[in-house]
Amino acid sequence: MSTDTTASVSTHVLDTSIGRPAEAVTVSLAARDGDERYVTLGASATDADGRCTDLPALPEGTTHVRLVFDTESYFTAKKQAEAQQDAPRVRDSGAFFPEVAIAFTVTPGEHYHVPLLLNPFGYSVYRGS
């Protein structure tokens, strides 16, 4: 939750190749203050609804945030699950982008919801609400 001196961040991931939330995508959160280097604050994984509900709070003075999504592991697991189910191959389950790194600026007192729309060969992000 944001305060007057800190910002807050949330995210969720939707797999647009299947039209469903992407479960078990590892997401790491890093922050920096001004020109300092990014410091990793922690990581989480998306739940069955594709949401990370336990990302760490941002420290006071944070000006930039970076979310890194481990997309390769997600698509590798999906490919293995499809092979075990002997499902027809309706799409290539490989991941062209092994990770997606999103960096953005933040202002104290604001909340930033940054959804990731994902498929094996592309992605899109935006500032949600």
Side-chain angles (χ1 to χ4, degrees), residues 18-93:
I18 58 173
R20 301 204 183 279
E23 183 176 7
V25 176
T26 301
V27 181
S28 68
L29 173 70
R32 74 177 196 196
D33 177 6
D35 294 330
E36 300 296 318
R37 292 180 182 233
Y38 279 101
V39 174
T40 300
L41 302 176
S44 182
T46 56
D47 60 18
D49 195 32
R51 298 182 182 278
C52 283
T53 58
D54 58 351
L55 289 173
L58 299 176
E60 189 172 327
T62 296
T63 59
H64 295 79
V65 171
R66 182 173 59 205
L67 293 170
V68 178
F69 301 83
D70 179 6
T71 56
E72 185 171 46
S73 294
Y74 168 75
F75 283 115
T76 298
K78 294 290 284 181
K79 186 174 186 175
Q80 290 171 349
E82 288 172 356
Q84 290 173 357
Q85 294 174 3
D86 199 26
R89 189 177 175 124
V90 296
R91 63 175 172 86
D92 185 329
S93 296

